[in-house]
Amino acid sequence: MRFHLLGSLEVLDDDMPVPLGGVKQRAALGFLLLHANRVVATSKLLQALWSRDVPPTARKMLQNAVSGLRGVLTPHGSGPEGSALLLTHAPGYLLRVDPNSLDLSRFQQLTEQGRNELSTGNWPAAAKVLRKALSLWRGPVLADLAETGINWPELTAIKDWRLATQEDCFEAELACGRHYEIIGELESLIEVEPYRERLNGQLMLALYRCGRQVDALSVYRRTRAALVEELGLEPGRELQELERAILDHAPALDLPPSVQRRHLLAVGQPSPVSAPVIITPPAPRAPEPALPAMDVDVTMVERKLVSVVMVSAQLGLAAGDGDPEDVDTVHQEVSSVVHAEVSRLGGVVGGNVGSVFLAMFGVPRTSEDDADRAVRSALAIRDRLSAVADVQIGVATGDALVRLPSAGAPTATGVLLDQCRQLMALSPLGAVRACTASRDASTSVTWADDPATTGGWQAVSCVSPRGATRRSQAAVPFVERERELFVLQGLLDEVRTRRRPHFVTVLGEAGVGKTRLVCELAGACTSSKVIALRGTATAFGDDHGYGPLSDVVRGFASPETLRAAISSLVGVGELADRLHASLAGLAEPHSAVPADFPSWRRFLEEIADSGPLVVLLEDVHWANDVVLDFVEELSEHAGSVPLLVIATARPELLQRRPSWFGGKRNATTISLEPLSHNGTRSLLNSLLETRELSAELWQALVGCVGGNALFATEYARMVSDPRMPCLQNDGALPVPPSVRSVITAQLDSLPFAVKAVLQDAAVVGDLVSPGAVAATGRHEPGDVAKALELLEQRDFLRRQGRNSETGEIEYGFRHALVRDVVADQLPRAVRALKQERAVAWFEAPELDLTDRRAG
């Protein structure tokens, strides 16, 4: 059986239409299909079928409709494959449907696939997949039911999703040079949706690329007039900047050269004389060893900050008389525990020599808390093996030369391994000893008060990582976030006045000040006696990704007093029992917490019903899918209560959930930008109250911080140390380890080949172009151009204009620190070789670029 919602409601059995009953039966089926594979409460279904004037026999009529549907949903074809199952499931009904048999699910799957292609810059694939998704539509969603007056919120949400998908498709097709083909479709759609600024901007760009600048500007004037006259609003910043760019004939509006050449050939026009030309640098005077191409079998070599764990188990003592078979049994158990605990926290086991095991954290991908993970894994191994074998464990953090093969385990070399081996050897039996760098970077571990006499620090136990790094951040001065705080306070006032839920997402890169903003709002809530419950997701830990909801429940009541607190909230009875059974699993989460969305939602609604409630969910990019699903579900189904939910996240959340709160009326997104130059200096001045710094050091500090509050805190701590060499000889400021970890973690999120291009760009200099980077890395200029565009989208690079000599687009690094960290990852010999290639390209006689320098 197949079910069609994207148009009139239609059920097919072996491609034959299945006759449906009257309007109420069709409406019941349509509403259940909109919520396929989810329980729909009877009360909600009745409200959907009778928005007003519910008849006394409504419940009986619904039961009759459901009974009739069960007969309709029994397949008459060759077998039960693809059939639906309509179940009675408290507190209502559950329609089980194979997602592949529902056109709405297929549309959503294709849309997500297309957006993933769009995010990676694969424009042709994105356009093809998104067109396939849009081809599933046969008309407005549930068009036949809409004609009867049904106007469910779900229909509006799906309509908005379709519009957003059309906009994504137009974006991909514009990037492919298909501006001629989409103008008619854009104009027709804008007649129906005149206020969608993205659509109007796409039409303006398409007209401009067709040589119709006057028409493009007319679209802007018409859009602005409609917005001002009808809504009292000026166009957004993006649309205003697009108008200025069209007036200035900005080169950024042109197609990329490779796409432009393909387009000109397709329409039968000669390539313009001014088309960019990639000039190949002269061959080197002496032969040089070629770097390997970026193929799948390449081994990448990098300098990385890693944390290493070494575990030595005394197997002979544990195996009694030392019989080889008994020793092997203990060895296998030790190996199993080491592999399990290391992999649980994101590390890799590099192998073992006898009973000594080596594990690495930060390989192949860096995390900001690798040292913390390493020490926690060491403590977990110690505790689990306490009854199996006596162990000695060492942990060390520092620089290593890491080889990352495309297949097989990574390897690392450096004095770091010798340091770790010495710490392991000096550790008492049953103890974990770590270096100072590991201790300083481990925020969720308790340590012995004094260092060991033979060197290193002894780790004692783990504490929960939830909130471990949050409390100290509240002491950071509140700088240049007053506007965002005012917006949040205004939304809270609106929620309180209208008794209507609202959902806010605060997006920003690591350290930009999301938590500080939340702390300020939480303080304001305390002052005004507004209930605020706060939860934090962590990249690892024992909460299995449920940290935000677990913290919220614990903020309401401890596990020991939860039942009494719930009874006080809703009274004693069935509801209290149901809420306690559901919330107890969140208070102490495990890997299989039942996703009881109705109970979780009812819990928050009951609190908010007694007064305004603010729920602060931090770092939800680390939360599991159940938590994210619940937050989105809450926005759709929360009742009329004064509830304000604020979620903070890094931009990578939108890579997991591209449609996160897109198009929803009760949702707001705030993007935190870096602090200004003056704001950065003010923050540093507050953090360095007692330090007298030279003008040169001030300038260097502000440049390194780049408007990031976390970076400012770490640099201030480093500069406050009078032993720092930079304070003695005015040398370059080193990068603090925590800042380096944040940047490296962002770099390691890039695809292998794209990261290699960024490393080449770091060698080229302050301004980079496809030709220079391609010559430096010996790659195809077209491939490099695509990678640079992706790096611009991911905010590693910023477009700086076109080079007047070559006509190529030039890019600069978003942050000087990013370039420094990327360049430092290259081994010295590789970096020197790439620098020679970059210099040769700049000194090519065909180019006049001698004023540029290679990094």
Side-chain angles (χ1 to χ4, degrees):
M1 272 189 167
R2 288 181 290 119
F3 303 89
H4 294 165
L5 303 181
L6 306 182
S8 296
L9 178 61
E10 190 176 64
V11 179
L12 300 178
D13 185 5
D14 280 350
D15 294 328
M16 295 296 294
V18 176
L20 299 173
V23 173
K24 294 306 180 187
Q25 189 180 92
R26 298 175 67 88
L29 177 59
F31 195 78
L32 289 168
L33 285 170
L34 288 174
H35 300 271
N37 301 310
R38 287 187 288 177
V39 176
V40 179
T42 301
S43 59
K44 190 173 182 66
L45 198 50
L46 290 172
Q47 184 182 5
L49 299 185
W50 291 276
S51 59
R52 62 183 67 180
D53 300 328
V54 180
T57 59
R59 198 170 286 269
K60 181 63 176 177
M61 295 168 68
L62 175 60
Q63 292 171 354
N64 292 337
V66 169
S67 178
L69 286 175
R70 284 172 173 153
V72 167
L73 298 177
T74 302
H76 303 289
S78 56
E81 293 81 11
S83 63
L85 191 61
L86 182 51
L87 305 172
T88 301
H89 192 298
Y93 298 97
L94 171 66
L95 180 58
R96 292 195 188 279
V97 176
D98 180 0
N100 291 324
S101 68
L102 184 61
D103 60 353
L104 176 60
S105 296
R106 182 64 179 149
F107 168 71
Q108 293 169 336
Q109 292 168 3
L110 289 171
T111 299
E112 296 298 331
Q113 180 183 344
R115 286 172 175 166
N116 288 336
E117 298 288 0
L118 200 63
S119 66
T120 61
N122 192 350
W123 316 117
K128 181 178 179 180
V129 174
L130 291 171
R131 276 294 170 192
K132 186 176 179 180
L134 293 169
S135 70
L136 297 173
W137 286 76
R138 299 169 291 110
V141 59
L142 293 177
D144 54 335
L145 295 177
E147 287 294 326
T148 67
I150 284 177
N151 187 24
W152 298 326
E154 291 85 353
L155 305 187
T156 303
I158 296 171
K159 174 191 171 185
D160 290 340
W161 193 321
R162 181 189 188 186
L163 284 170
T165 303
Q166 289 174 306
E167 291 171 336
D168 290 337
C169 185
F170 292 142
E171 180 181 335
E173 291 179 326
L174 281 169
C176 294
R178 300 173 189 165
H179 35 273
Y180 284 100
E181 294 93 323
I182 65 174
I183 285 179
E185 191 175 355
L186 278 166
E187 289 176 334
S188 300
L189 194 54
I190 287 173
E191 287 183 9
V192 183
E193 299 288 341
Y195 304 124
R196 290 187 77 94
E197 293 191 25
R198 188 181 179 194
L199 280 177
N200 282 283
Q202 289 170 334
L203 178 58
M204 290 168 62
L205 181 58
L207 290 169
Y208 175 79
R209 287 183 176 173
C210 292
R212 299 167 58 183
Q213 181 191 16
V214 174
D215 291 337
L217 294 173
S218 296
V219 172
Y220 175 80
R221 287 193 293 271
R222 185 175 67 239
T223 304
R224 181 181 181 278
L227 290 171
V228 171
E229 294 172 6
E230 300 295 331
L231 305 177
L233 298 173
E234 286 288 340
R237 178 173 55 84
E238 292 82 2
L239 207 61
Q240 294 181 31
E241 291 178 351
L242 178 59
E243 183 213 21
R244 286 195 293 270
I246 291 174
L247 288 169
D248 297 337
H249 292 277
L253 300 182
D254 297 338
L255 284 169
S258 58
V259 177
Q260 189 180 62
R261 285 194 291 273
R262 289 200 304 271
H263 173 67
L264 292 171
L265 290 173
V267 299
Q269 299 180 21
S271 179
V273 175
S274 60
V277 178
I278 307 299
I279 301 174
T280 306
R285 298 176 184 176
E288 61 180 5
L291 289 177
M294 288 301 161
D295 297 327
V296 293
D297 59 347
V298 168
T299 295
M300 183 176 246
V301 183
E302 288 184 353
R303 298 170 62 98
K304 298 196 74 172
L305 181 68
V306 299
S307 293
V308 179
V309 179
M310 284 190 180
V311 181
S312 175
Q314 306 294 326
L315 302 183
L317 297 176
D321 59 1
D323 182 85
E325 293 185 20
D326 295 336
V327 171
D328 182 68
T329 299
V330 178
H331 174 82
Q332 294 301 325
E333 185 170 357
V334 171
S335 176
S336 176
V337 168
V338 170
H339 280 80
E341 291 300 329
V342 169
S343 62
R344 181 176 69 88
L345 293 173
V348 295
V349 178
N352 66 285
V353 177
S355 60
V356 178
F357 296 83
L358 169 67
M360 292 178 287
F361 290 81
V363 178
R365 288 187 58 170
T366 298
S367 298
E368 299 157 31
D369 48 9
D370 283 319
D372 209 11
R373 296 173 187 240
V375 178
R376 288 178 67 91
S377 72
L379 290 169
I381 291 169
R382 178 202 67 182
D383 294 342
R384 287 187 60 180
L385 293 179
S386 60
V388 178
D390 292 323
V391 295
Q392 296 170 285
I393 306 178
V395 183
T397 298
D399 287 324
L401 193 66
V402 177
R403 286 176 171 81
L404 305 170
S406 57
T411 60
T413 54
V415 296
L416 175 70
L417 298 176
D418 292 333
Q419 181 187 8
C420 188
R421 180 180 55 81
Q422 292 170 0
L423 288 167
M424 178 190 68
L426 294 172
S427 174
L429 291 176
V432 175
R433 184 168 293 188
C435 67
T436 302
S438 299
R439 175 185 180 274
D440 292 344
S442 300
T443 58
S444 64
V445 176
T446 56
W447 300 85
D449 294 333
D450 300 311
T453 56
T454 53
W457 296 80
Q458 186 162 320
V460 178
S461 61
C462 299
V463 295
S464 171
R466 297 201 297 274
T469 62
R470 296 287 182 255
R471 306 298 171 251
S472 62
Q473 293 187 5
V476 176
F478 191 67
V479 177
E480 285 192 349
R481 299 298 182 212
E482 292 80 7
R483 183 180 67 84
E484 290 84 358
L485 180 61
F486 179 78
V487 170
L488 294 178
Q489 290 174 330
L491 290 172
L492 177 57
D493 291 340
E494 185 175 336
V495 162
R496 180 192 288 113
T497 303
R498 299 189 178 185
R499 291 185 63 85
R500 184 181 302 166
H502 201 89
F503 296 78
V504 182
T505 304
V506 180
L507 291 174
E509 64 182 22
V512 79
K514 302 182 294 296
T515 294
R516 185 64 186 88
L517 176 62
V518 165
C519 285
E520 198 71 14
L521 181 66
C525 289
T526 301
S527 302
S528 57
K529 296 184 170 29
V530 173
I531 301 174
L533 298 177
R534 189 172 177 181
T536 302
T538 57
F540 71 95
D542 301 325
D543 55 29
H544 302 281
Y546 290 95
L549 299 184
S550 177
D551 288 351
V552 165
V553 174
R554 286 173 170 266
F556 172 73
S558 67
E560 296 76 19
T561 62
L562 181 60
R563 179 179 290 277
I566 292 174
S567 298
S568 176
L569 180 67
V570 301
V572 178
E574 180 184 351
L575 176 58
D577 293 340
R578 178 160 57 86
L579 291 180
H580 179 264
S582 178
L583 298 176
L586 283 177
E588 296 179 341
H590 50 84
S591 59
V593 174
D596 189 359
F597 290 1
S599 295
W600 301 351
R601 183 175 67 249
R602 181 66 179 273
F603 164 64
L604 296 177
E605 289 174 341
E606 291 290 344
I607 300 175
D609 193 48
S610 61
L613 171 63
V614 178
V615 178
L616 305 169
L617 307 176
E618 297 187 62
D619 293 337
V620 296
H621 53 276
W622 280 328
N624 62 24
D625 286 330
V626 175
V627 173
L628 298 181
D629 288 342
F630 170 66
V631 175
E632 291 194 289
E633 195 266 356
L634 181 64
S635 71
E636 297 173 1
H637 302 294
S640 297
V641 293
L643 171 64
L644 180 63
V645 178
I646 302 174
T648 71
R650 298 180 189 173
E652 47 260 43
L653 171 67
L654 300 184
Q655 297 174 28
R656 286 179 61 188
R657 298 287 177 108
S659 59
W660 177 259
F661 282 104
K664 294 185 178 179
R665 295 180 181 177
N666 62 338
T668 300
T669 298
I670 298 175
S671 294
L672 293 187
E673 297 296 327
L675 301 175
S676 67
H677 181 279
N678 290 338
T680 302
R681 189 175 179 97
S682 174
L683 177 58
L684 284 169
N685 201 41
S686 300
L687 296 170
L688 295 167
E689 293 179 356
T690 60
R691 292 292 305 174
E692 292 292 336
L693 303 178
S694 66
E696 293 78 9
L697 188 54
W698 263 114
Q699 183 176 358
L701 268 177
V702 173
C704 289
V705 168
N708 188 292
L710 172 64
F711 292 3
T713 303
E714 296 303 316
Y715 269 100
R717 182 180 294 117
M718 181 183 72
V719 171
S720 297
D721 187 348
R723 298 168 298 176
M724 279 301 300
C726 63
L727 300 180
Q728 308 296 333
N729 53 23
D730 291 329
L733 286 171
V735 182
S738 57
V739 174
R740 181 179 169 190
S741 294
V742 169
I743 296 174
T744 306
Q746 296 171 350
L747 297 174
D748 286 351
S749 69
L750 292 170
F752 183 91
V754 176
K755 182 179 177 182
V757 169
L758 188 63
Q759 290 175 336
D760 293 336
V763 173
V764 169
D766 299 323
L767 284 178
V768 302
S769 62
V773 177
T776 301
R778 295 289 176 87
H779 304 310
E780 287 295 324
D783 295 336
V784 170
K786 292 179 182 177
L788 293 175
E789 289 178 8
L790 177 59
L791 289 166
E792 180 191 15
Q793 294 170 15
R794 298 284 292 272
D795 210 26
F796 288 97
L797 301 177
R798 294 281 171 84
R799 191 175 300 209
Q800 303 294 328
R802 287 187 182 272
N803 182 279
S804 59
E805 297 292 330
T806 66
E808 291 185 300
I809 296 174
E810 291 188 316
Y811 300 87
F813 278 84
R814 170 182 60 86
H815 198 301
L817 281 182
V818 173
R819 182 193 165 198
D820 294 342
V821 172
V822 172
D824 287 343
Q825 288 184 329
L826 293 170
R828 288 193 299 268
V830 175
R831 184 174 180 178
L833 179 59
K834 289 178 180 288
Q835 285 175 328
E836 290 180 8
R837 292 174 177 170
V839 170
W841 190 87
F842 283 121
E843 294 178 350
E846 295 91 341
L847 298 173
D848 183 16
L849 300 171
T850 52
D851 59 328
R852 307 282 179 83
R853 66 177 182 83

